[in-house]
Amino acid sequence: MVSTSPSLSDIQNHWAYLFIQGLVQRRILNGYSDGTFRPNNPVTRGEFAAIIGSVFTPTKKREYLSFKDVDETYWAKNAIKKVYETGFLVGYPDQTFRPNDTISRGDVLVSMVNGLEIAAQVAPDLVSKLPQIYQDAPVISSYAINQVAIATRVGWVANYPNIKILNPQMAATRAEVAVMVYQALVYLGKAEKITSDYIVVPTNPNTPNNTIRLNHRREFRGAWVTTVWNSDWPSKPGLPVEQQKAELLEIIKQLQSLNFNALVLQVRPEGDALYSSELEPWSAWITGTQGKAPEPFYDPLEYAIAECHKRNIELHAWFNPYRAKTTIKSGSNVRPHIAVTNPEVVYQWGNQLWMDPGAKIVQDRAYNVIIDVVSRYDLDAIHLDDYFYPYPISGQSFPDSKTYAAYKSNGGTLSLENWRRENVNQMVLRLSQGIKKTKSHVKFGISPFGIYRPGQPAGIVGLDPYNVLYADSKKWLQEGWIDYLAPQLYWRTDQIQQSYEVLLKWWTETNTKQRHIYAGNNIGQLDGKVWKNSEIEKQILLSRNLAGKFSLGNIFFSMSSIKNNRQGIADQFKSYYPIPAIVPSMSWQNNTPPPPPKDIKFENGKLNWQPTDNQPVRSWTLYRQIANNWTIQRILSTGTTFATVQPGTYAVCAVDRLGNESEGLVIIVSG
């Protein structure tokens, strides 16, 4: 884990902000004593030696030769010695190092390619193409051509503001060096990829010539669909199968019409299953009777996944890991429900039943159930909510004393509170590892209570889930165990003690691994008085304003408010999400884009294209060029390889299941 970096006053809106932040957090770079970074200042050879010497540790290649202008008292003497010995930098023929001279952008790339011996791994195949990539390629020094070609191929080159201008002879700035060093760490597998429009990405040799690199504003747009108490779906238990399917399809179609791209479906509300399972009984919220399968048979989860994917909507399967029953006043549990097979680890808690998170049988049950679903279903993510240890009941203690005593008798040393927290931590870690091992593309997200701890940040007041639910959500985020965090920020922006804006900003600043943050928003409170639609619009805008800090979308609780158009919120979503969007891609996942489509042509008023052979595609994006701008027009499902269009210039991209988008295959449609 890396420490949260201090705030640097002059990088917040800088093009290289995320790269600088990444290195500062790793204590590779530092700001100045006045709280600035001075990103546009040139870097001297001595300063560059200090940076390189602190980041990379290759083997020694030669003995150090003293330089006339680097005496024993020079502040970077040891760093200069190290970079010389490891082959990053050399001196001049007059036996000087010239540590106070600036270092050029071209020499930075030469130094890094040589010192890291990248030429042994990557061929300089772009040498002949450099004039096509950089308008100023003729001014690249002859000694640097191969290294620049290699650095370009591996993605180390950053050109701002014009990606076509290399400026190889210009002094490198602190920001530019930060980006190049960070990109080298990405190449070495020591840092997560950061998306930037200023990183030079050379065209794949197998890419057709009539392609263009395109993008649009990515945004996660999700809705929770709650099944417990039949809150969102189905409308009541025991409905005929066709009515259940029709209701679910209506939900999915409405989300598609509003340009949403994710549905979070509750599939295990209380130790049961809204899908076919040998490990847990069918849910009573589906059929009216626990353990009874739908008749005629269908699998709701399988159906939801198929219908979502047809419409370019991700399906996140939502599990409650520990709740065993929402009320003991109705219904009964049947085998293989854990309350029947292992009643000794299930406790009454108020009117509910709750599993003991410290019991091995409970730990194994939650893990096995979720991994079983990951292995059998084509879902996009596993999702947990805020229920870990149960919410408190005044005057009562959770009855896990026997489990804790057994832990202590076996040599355990943690306090009761830390032991409970560690039980939850280990559940999260085990799931994280198990999901990725089973299917590396399946994401893992958690939606905790919106406050981490009272007083963090200062002025925040409310429940302490760290000490009450034993949920250390900051740890899960900072350890990178999860792919996204969706803190439930169910307060208005004017509630100072639980400020939406303050809390969201805090979560983004805590996010040292640069995972995705999708704020949870409560539209169920809309009443046209205290809670107005303008509040939701304001919250969406606040989320977007922090996109540079990985606040990349929202999830709304819950679907019934959209379905019923509560206070006109469904109508409002048409203005919040006027154009479609692909979910944000995740740099730490496989981020290799698929190849673009092929054989594009215009016939009978329609564009037609074909997928490249044997390449899995989740969807197609259709862009149109208007003046000098490309705008996304539609997102089409994998089986739809045509589009009706008017005359104009278009491009079609392939998108894989992780949101990686190919270059666009361009076609001009004449009038």
Side-chain angles (χ1 to χ4, degrees):
M1 189 192 312
V2 292
S3 302
T4 302
S5 63
S7 178
L8 297 169
S9 62
D10 57 349
I11 67 168
Q12 299 303 315
N13 297 313
H14 198 277
W15 69 273
Y17 165 76
L18 293 175
F19 301 92
I20 297 169
Q21 183 189 45
L23 295 184
V24 171
Q25 287 172 346
R26 290 168 171 80
R27 304 190 186 283
I28 292 169
L29 291 181
N30 297 303
Y32 292 91
S33 59
D34 62 357
T36 64
F37 183 78
R38 305 175 198 173
N40 299 322
N41 280 13
V43 175
T44 67
R45 284 169 54 82
E47 290 169 335
F48 181 70
I51 294 169
I52 292 296
S54 68
V55 181
F56 305 114
T57 55
T59 56
K60 182 177 176 180
K61 301 180 180 71
R62 59 192 174 198
E63 293 299 324
Y64 178 63
L65 298 176
S66 297
F67 297 109
K68 293 188 293 186
D69 54 352
V70 180
D71 61 29
E72 292 298 322
T73 63
Y74 186 72
W75 70 273
K77 191 261 182 184
N78 289 336
I80 290 170
K81 179 175 183 288
K82 180 177 180 180
V83 298
Y84 179 86
E85 290 176 339
T86 52
F88 280 94
L89 289 175
V90 297
Y92 291 88
D94 62 357
Q95 210 176 338
T96 62
F97 187 80
R98 304 177 194 175
N100 298 320
D101 285 4
T102 58
I103 186 167
S104 71
R105 287 168 46 84
D107 283 354
V108 166
L109 297 174
V110 170
S111 167
M112 291 170 56
V113 169
N114 289 347
L116 294 173
E117 299 181 297
I118 303 302
Q121 308 162 31
V122 180
D125 62 325
L126 293 178
V127 165
S128 63
K129 296 182 175 63
L130 290 179
Q132 301 165 33
I133 299 172
Y134 305 117
Q135 294 174 9
D136 54 351
V139 301
I140 300 173
S141 298
S142 58
Y143 66 81
I145 288 176
N146 279 7
Q147 288 89 337
V148 168
I150 291 169
T152 303
R153 171 59 74 195
V154 296
W156 292 359
V157 182
N159 294 339
Y160 175 88
N162 187 343
I163 201 166
K164 291 281 191 178
I165 303 296
L166 179 63
N167 286 322
Q169 306 298 336
M170 185 176 289
T173 66
R174 283 169 57 81
E176 290 166 343
V177 169
V179 177
M180 294 177 190
V181 167
Y182 190 94
Q183 288 298 100
L185 291 174
V186 172
Y187 175 81
L188 296 171
K190 296 180 179 180
E192 298 82 17
K193 181 181 176 183
I194 294 173
T195 301
S196 171
D197 290 337
Y198 304 110
I199 300 296
V200 177
V201 180
T203 302
N204 188 298
N206 299 318
T207 298
N209 291 329
N210 59 328
T211 60
I212 186 170
R213 184 183 177 199
L214 296 169
N215 58 60
H216 62 278
R217 186 179 68 187
R218 302 295 190 91
E219 187 172 40
F220 190 90
R221 304 167 177 176
W224 277 290
V225 175
T226 311
T227 55
V228 68
W229 299 112
N230 299 110
S231 297
D232 294 320
W233 177 81
S235 57
K236 61 181 180 180
L239 289 176
V241 163
E242 289 308 311
Q243 187 174 344
Q244 288 183 27
K245 294 168 75 172
E247 287 184 357
L248 186 53
L249 186 57
E250 182 183 359
I251 287 171
I252 296 168
K253 285 182 174 179
Q254 185 178 21
L255 291 178
Q256 179 192 27
S257 72
L258 297 176
N259 287 323
F260 277 65
N261 53 31
L263 186 157
V264 185
L265 179 64
Q266 189 176 34
V267 298
R268 193 212 195 206
E270 46 180 6
D272 51 357
L274 277 89
Y275 56 91
S276 180
S277 173
E278 295 182 357
L279 303 179
E280 295 192 304
W282 278 98
S283 175
W285 304 114
I286 286 285
T287 61
T289 304
Q290 191 178 92
K292 180 183 177 182
E295 295 180 14
F297 180 83
Y298 87 111
D299 187 317
L301 178 55
E302 185 177 61
Y303 178 75
I305 291 170
E307 295 301 327
C308 281
H309 287 179
K310 285 179 189 176
R311 295 164 178 83
N312 307 301
I313 295 172
E314 288 194 340
L315 192 290
H316 293 220
W318 166 16
F319 292 79
N320 294 87
Y322 301 129
R323 187 168 60 199
K325 195 165 180 58
T326 51
T327 177
I328 58 176
K329 295 182 178 180
S330 64
S332 58
N333 292 315
V334 301
R335 286 184 177 273
H337 194 282
I338 193 170
V340 178
T341 61
N342 300 90
E344 72 280 2
V345 296
V346 179
Y347 312 136
Q348 183 173 340
W349 186 248
N351 289 322
Q352 298 184 330
L353 294 180
W354 213 268
M355 304 177 210
D356 184 346
K360 188 175 187 305
I361 183 65
V362 171
Q363 297 165 358
D364 290 345
R365 174 67 67 94
Y367 178 83
N368 291 336
V369 162
I370 292 173
I371 297 302
D372 170 61
V373 170
V374 172
S375 66
R376 292 192 295 120
Y377 291 86
D378 186 29
L379 47 76
D380 298 289
I382 295 297
H383 182 97
L384 307 182
D385 61 15
D386 55 313
Y387 288 100
F388 298 101
Y389 280 80
Y391 278 83
I393 298 175
S394 180
Q396 295 191 35
S397 298
F398 189 70
D400 57 356
S401 56
K402 288 185 179 179
T403 314
Y404 181 60
Y407 161 77
K408 294 284 283 186
S409 67
N410 285 326
T413 59
L414 295 176
S415 67
L416 175 64
E417 293 77 14
N418 287 337
W419 170 73
R420 286 175 174 171
R421 249 185 312 276
E422 190 60 14
N423 290 332
V424 179
N425 286 341
Q426 288 303 310
M427 182 270 292
V428 172
L429 175 59
R430 187 181 180 191
L431 275 178
S432 175
Q433 294 171 337
I435 291 166
K436 299 307 179 187
K437 181 179 179 180
T438 305
K439 288 181 181 175
S440 61
H441 61 262
V442 173
K443 306 167 193 173
F444 182 30
I446 298 181
S447 178
F449 191 75
I451 297 171
Y452 171 61
R453 301 203 69 181
Q456 295 191 33
I460 293 298
V461 176
L463 179 83
D464 185 357
Y466 180 87
N467 268 341
V468 173
L469 308 179
Y470 303 98
D472 192 351
S473 47
K474 184 172 78 168
K475 181 181 181 70
W476 314 331
L477 184 64
Q478 292 188 334
E479 292 288 352
W481 295 345
I482 52 179
D483 295 303
Y484 70 86
L485 191 84
Q488 296 173 19
L489 303 180
Y490 290 171
W491 303 280
R492 298 188 312 275
T493 52
D494 61 358
Q495 290 180 244
I496 296 174
Q497 292 183 328
Q498 300 88 26
S499 167
Y500 179 95
E501 181 176 10
V502 170
L503 284 166
L504 180 56
K505 189 171 185 289
W506 182 86
W507 281 111
T508 62
E509 291 173 346
T510 302
N511 182 22
T512 52
K513 284 281 190 182
Q514 300 175 348
R515 295 312 194 231
H516 290 185
I517 305 291
Y518 309 143
N521 307 75
N522 193 348
I523 54 176
Q525 298 183 83
L526 291 170
D527 57 11
K529 299 173 184 177
V530 177
W531 275 85
K532 299 179 181 179
N533 289 349
S534 58
E535 176 65 31
I536 301 303
E537 181 178 17
K538 188 184 299 184
Q539 293 184 2
I540 292 172
L541 290 175
L542 287 170
S543 295
R544 288 173 175 170
N545 288 341
L546 289 168
K549 296 186 177 181
F550 296 92
S551 167
L552 296 174
N554 300 79
I555 311 179
F556 298 92
F557 188 84
S558 63
M559 187 63 212
S560 59
S561 294
I562 300 174
K563 185 168 59 177
N564 299 328
N565 200 18
R566 185 184 183 100
Q567 295 296 319
I569 188 63
D571 296 332
Q572 288 298 116
F573 273 120
K574 295 174 184 176
S575 63
Y576 303 157
Y577 299 148
I579 60 175
I582 297 291
V583 297
S585 59
M586 295 176 169
S587 61
W588 55 95
Q589 298 267 41
N590 181 353
N591 54 25
T592 303
K598 63 180 183 179
D599 302 335
I600 193 167
K601 55 190 174 182
F602 180 71
E603 291 180 339
N604 302 320
K606 293 180 180 179
L607 288 182
N608 294 273
W609 61 89
Q610 295 298 322
T612 301
D613 298 340
N614 302 318
Q615 292 296 327
V617 174
R618 168 62 63 84
S619 54
W620 309 98
T621 48
L622 174 67
Y623 291 84
R624 184 177 185 181
Q625 185 179 24
I626 301 174
N628 292 322
N629 297 316
W630 288 88
T631 304
I632 189 167
Q633 303 290 300
R634 291 174 234 165
I635 301 173
L636 305 164
S637 63
T638 182
T640 303
T641 56
F642 65 89
T644 303
V645 298
Q646 299 298 318
T649 302
Y650 296 89
V652 178
C653 307
V655 183
D656 68 16
R657 66 179 308 140
L658 289 171
N660 299 308
E661 189 174 28
S662 76
E663 292 190 333
L665 188 60
V666 178
I667 185 171
I668 298 174
V669 176
S670 302

